[in-house]
Amino acid sequence: MPTKSFFHGADWNPEQWPEPVWAQDLALMREARVTAATVGVFSWSRLEPSPGVYDFGWLDRVLDGLHAHGIDAVLATPTASPPPWFTQAHPDALALRRDGVRLVHGSRDTYCVNAPAYRAASLGIASALAERYARHPAVRLWHVHNEYGTWCFCDHCARAFRGWLRERHGTLDALNDAWTTDFWSQRYADWAQVLPPRATQYLGNPAQELDYRRFLSDRMLAAYTAQRDAIKQVAPQAQVTTNFVLGGWVPVDHARWSTEVDLVAIDHYPSSLDGAPAQSAFAADAARGWSAAAGRGGRWLLMEHAPAHVTEDGVQRRKPPGMLARIALAHIARGSAGAMYFQWRASAGGAEQWHSALVGHAGPDTRTYREFRALGENLATEGRAPSYRSAYRKVPFPTDDACAAGDAEVHEAGCGDVAVWFDEVCGWGVGASHLPAPVDYQGIVEDWHRALWLRGHHVDVVPPAATLAGYRVLVVPAAYLLSDESARSLDEYVHEGGHLVVTYLSGIVDEHLRVRGGGYPGALRDLLGIRVEEFDPLPPGAVVTLDTGDVATGWTEHLTAPRAAVLARYPDGRPAVTRREYGAGVAYYVSCALDEASTARLLEGICAAAGASPIVPGLPDGVEAVHTPDGVWLFNHTDEPHEVAGRQLPPGAVARLAD
Ligand code: GAL
């Protein structure tokens, strides 16, 4: 049945409402052709009102109700928000902030992932849910926890951190070396002296900070896999995931986690209304890239996004008419198995009572609900949604073989022309380091992605583990931290014929944030045929015009180009942008932060030389083109009509080019 093919639904919190409202909700869901509802995300205090005492009656009725209405459940484990009885009994399991303040319950995510009591209690509730519901016919997907990413600096963490460090570094000498502890007299003489990076007098140790993020990521992953394995022990065929939240503040290495989930799932909340289409495309391309590199076939799911608004500088800006469906379909075109929302019904009270919902405080008679219902009708109609891979309609979850085959499909689908390198661990390294100027790693990566997106390229966002062969152009922006292995794979990529664009601040430090000497970028100097002597960041607002007319902002460098041709020079004649032929390929170096127009010009030339063509040439600004096996889909994100390849696109339209 086609209505089952896409995930079309939302987080549903029936425990916040009397049961007669559930019946209304289910009827409305059916009317809107909802295929899936996420339930139980924050229900721990209802499911286990006191230690070891479970109340599953209400969830039985919720799941039965969903099933009776032909709606699948995405069943969550509620471990992101332990109940008050838990924290009262185990004060040591409350999160300790960096500055030593012990948090108390009253919000959510107030727990220490390394506290034995927390781990035991969360495994307890997850196992109890698995026992009861693993074979429930409504359950299509398990959603462990919610947006892992909680920080803690307590003594449980300190102990576990030491154990993790011993495994990673082996000896204290190796740790001292990796963390450069001779700087500021930090040399450790005993493991007991090693602490989490708690509040200290002045700048902390960047390598310690980076290892702590890696450690938290690994520990949270272990907490996730423990729950996943408990579920699979009861139901080996169960499909299990957790919802990733993107953002540099989260100590979770999503590329690595993607190998442990059955379906990569992300939540996405853009930070500006006008920027939402480009930001959504970036997040979607990143999710697809994680999935493909993890052998999951490029398949992924948008688990949450906001129905009616985008929060911009603290202001909830309403989505204009049509945007709800357009953004959902754009995600689906980029490989999502559907588009889920947070949330179904707006809460009457509680911290997020003003968050938008599909059914708002006014009830279903609103533009948002009507648009959502129309989207449901669209998705339920075979052939009217841009399916990234038509197999989605038939096979809810690919087998391992299909995943392996799917990896190839990502390239075959025409999405393999151009890629942008994105490594969250590198972003952590940038964040931990006291750089010569503030640097927003993800912002820089998104700028390069956006430049390609605006020009109508279908871009893959790839983690370091990705297979690079097959991309005509690969952009590596601000890859400050680059392992030897990554440097080798970039070398091989160019040698084999790839066109590599490396930007300033790439290849500077190793995985312990130690500078690679001899001239920047130590890891890529030979490949690029250049040598950077010094950085020369610009003050805010300053610009430098290159001899090509291109404009540099923010960052410049002093470099020589002993083995590369110079494509653009700074006013004093020094090289700014270089090009080196290497093996069968070409390696470009961009030593400055170019403005948007200059970036676009540069990329246009590089892509043309590499034979990487836009999906649709000459795309107007704000019109998005996505290449799917169902053909090219166009999304007019503007409120103007446009003509694209002979096709009239009314304002806000979504259309297939061939139709
Ligand atoms: C998500 C979270 C949801 C809800 C939402 C609000 O990050 O998973 O529970 O808080 O944000 O935008």
Side-chain angles (χ1 to χ4, degrees):
M1 181 165 95
T3 50
K4 279 283 185 189
S5 57
F6 293 104
F7 284 82
H8 170 64
D11 272 43
W12 183 36
N13 300 300
E15 67 272 36
Q16 294 176 15
W17 301 95
E19 294 204 22
V21 178
W22 304 5
Q24 291 169 26
D25 281 341
L26 288 167
L28 286 170
M29 285 184 200
R30 175 119 91 180
E31 182 187 270
R33 313 260 200 143
V34 163
T35 62
T38 306
V39 292
V41 181
F42 293 112
S43 309
W44 198 345
S45 59
R46 280 278 187 177
L47 291 169
E48 191 179 1
S50 54
V53 177
Y54 298 111
D55 176 6
F56 289 130
W58 68 272
L59 189 53
D60 291 351
R61 294 193 294 284
V62 165
L63 293 179
D64 293 348
L66 285 171
H67 187 57
H69 286 75
I71 299 164
D72 289 333
V74 177
L75 182 55
T77 67
T79 51
S81 199
W85 61 253
F86 171 79
T87 53
Q88 214 163 37
H90 305 283
D92 63 300
L94 283 161
L96 188 78
R97 267 186 0 199
R98 200 186 279 270
D99 61 3
V101 171
R102 179 77 73 178
L103 301 179
V104 292
H105 60 244
S107 178
R108 66 184 204 195
D109 295 288
T110 316
Y111 62 85
C112 166
V113 79
N114 290 305
Y118 170 76
R119 291 289 294 272
S122 42
L123 204 53
I125 182 70
S127 305
L129 283 164
E131 290 288 344
R132 190 156 186 106
Y133 298 118
R135 282 174 216 85
H136 194 288
V139 177
R140 179 176 180 186
L141 179 64
W142 285 82
H143 172 303
V144 168
H145 202 87
N146 188 67
E147 294 186 343
Y148 276 101
T150 306
W151 289 81
C152 180
F153 298 84
C154 75
D155 288 342
H156 292 303
C157 293
R159 258 189 304 280
F161 187 37
R162 286 180 203 118
W164 183 92
L165 289 169
R166 275 174 193 262
E167 278 208 3
R168 178 170 171 78
H169 297 283
T171 64
L172 258 190
D173 278 350
L175 176 85
N176 279 311
D177 188 34
W179 286 11
T180 318
T181 54
D182 281 319
F183 186 79
W184 285 347
S185 183
Q186 289 170 8
R187 198 165 184 83
Y188 296 104
D190 190 312
W191 283 102
Q193 297 163 359
V194 181
L195 296 171
R198 293 175 179 155
T200 186
Q201 180 68 3
Y202 182 45
L203 302 173
N205 183 322
Q208 177 190 16
E209 185 71 33
L210 177 60
D211 265 355
Y212 201 65
R213 279 186 175 248
R214 290 183 170 122
F215 155 76
L216 285 178
S217 179
D218 284 358
R219 295 296 292 180
M220 285 189 272
L221 183 58
Y224 161 78
T225 55
Q227 289 197 37
R228 178 202 63 192
D229 294 348
I231 295 165
K232 293 210 178 210
Q233 196 172 7
V234 183
Q237 78 293 349
Q239 299 294 315
V240 186
T241 191
T242 182
N243 50 340
F244 296 167
V245 57
L246 280 70
W249 67 91
V250 187
V252 171
D253 178 0
H254 296 110
R256 171 141 192 240
W257 281 50
S258 295
T259 60
E260 302 290 349
V261 295
D262 292 317
L263 176 65
V264 169
I266 66 163
D267 296 350
H268 192 245
Y269 294 91
S271 59
S272 94
L273 190 61
D274 291 345
Q279 290 177 16
S280 300
F282 175 78
D285 292 344
R288 198 177 63 251
W290 289 329
S291 167
R296 297 287 181 268
R299 183 185 164 71
W300 65 281
L301 172 64
L302 177 65
M303 186 66 92
E304 279 183 27
H305 71 306
H309 77 277
V310 171
T311 301
E312 190 177 307
D313 299 327
V315 176
Q316 285 189 6
R317 306 231 8 230
R318 297 324 277 181
K319 289 185 181 174
M323 187 171 175
L324 178 147
R326 203 170 55 248
I327 291 285
L329 294 173
H331 281 101
I332 290 171
R334 289 178 183 276
S336 178
M340 300 283 284
Y341 295 84
F342 180 88
Q343 56 187 332
W344 170 257
R345 183 178 279 277
S347 307
E352 290 184 340
Q353 68 194 127
W354 294 109
H355 196 284
S356 69
L358 295 167
V359 180
H361 294 141
D365 189 11
T366 60
R367 172 163 67 82
T368 297
Y369 177 76
R370 285 189 290 275
E371 289 192 13
F372 174 72
R373 187 179 56 198
L375 172 65
E377 279 157 17
N378 180 337
L379 290 174
T381 312
E382 191 78 31
R384 290 189 55 202
S387 169
Y388 180 73
R389 200 164 317 131
S390 46
Y392 287 171
R393 298 211 175 102
K394 302 177 201 99
V395 191
F397 290 96
T399 61
D400 285 351
D401 286 354
C403 282
D407 206 349
E409 279 177 57
V410 172
H411 287 257
E412 280 164 21
C415 311
D417 248 1
V418 179
V420 175
W421 178 277
F422 177 48
D423 176 12
E424 288 180 302
V425 175
C426 168
W428 301 348
V430 169
S433 307
H434 190 61
L435 291 167
V439 172
D440 169 10
Y441 171 72
Q442 189 171 322
I444 295 170
V445 177
E446 288 199 38
D447 284 348
W448 282 89
H449 176 272
R450 185 164 176 278
L452 290 159
W453 178 84
L454 275 172
R455 297 208 53 73
H457 288 280
H458 194 146
V459 189
D460 283 358
V461 174
V462 295
T467 305
L468 302 178
Y471 292 114
R472 289 179 190 274
V473 176
L474 169 65
V475 183
V476 178
Y480 175 67
L481 182 165
L482 205 67
S483 67
D484 293 348
E485 195 186 343
S486 291
R488 267 196 303 278
S489 92
L490 294 179
D491 194 287
E492 192 181 308
Y493 166 73
V494 181
H495 198 262
E496 297 302 312
H499 291 231
L500 176 72
V501 183
V502 173
T503 84
Y504 64 97
L505 211 65
S506 292
I508 307 297
V509 296
D510 67 10
E511 65 267 38
H512 305 303
L513 300 179
R514 290 176 305 201
V515 174
R516 298 170 182 275
Y520 317 120
L524 300 171
R525 203 173 49 227
D526 292 342
L527 168 61
L528 297 167
I530 53 117
R531 179 169 174 275
V532 178
E533 294 172 11
E534 286 175 348
F535 299 144
D536 192 4
L538 303 176
V543 297
V544 168
T545 304
L546 309 182
D547 65 349
T548 50
D550 290 324
V551 176
T553 62
W555 192 276
T556 65
E557 294 177 343
H558 295 216
L559 62 144
T560 57
R563 287 191 308 285
V566 179
L567 301 185
R569 293 182 185 275
Y570 292 107
D572 65 2
R574 286 177 290 118
V577 180
T578 63
R579 174 184 190 276
R580 181 182 185 210
E581 293 186 7
Y582 178 78
V586 183
Y588 296 87
Y589 185 61
V590 185
S591 70
C592 48
L594 292 173
D595 70 5
E596 193 174 302
S598 310
T599 305
R601 264 196 303 275
L602 179 72
L603 282 173
E604 187 169 356
I606 291 173
C607 288
S613 357
I615 299 166
V616 180
L619 215 51
D621 272 9
V623 175
E624 176 175 13
V626 188
H627 191 167
T628 84
D630 288 348
V632 171
W633 283 76
L634 298 170
F635 300 82
N636 182 359
H637 295 294
T638 74
D639 48 16
E640 304 285 328
H642 288 288
E643 191 188 318
V644 175
R647 202 196 150 103
Q648 298 304 320
L649 276 184
V654 178
R656 196 160 72 166
L657 192 55
D659 285 348

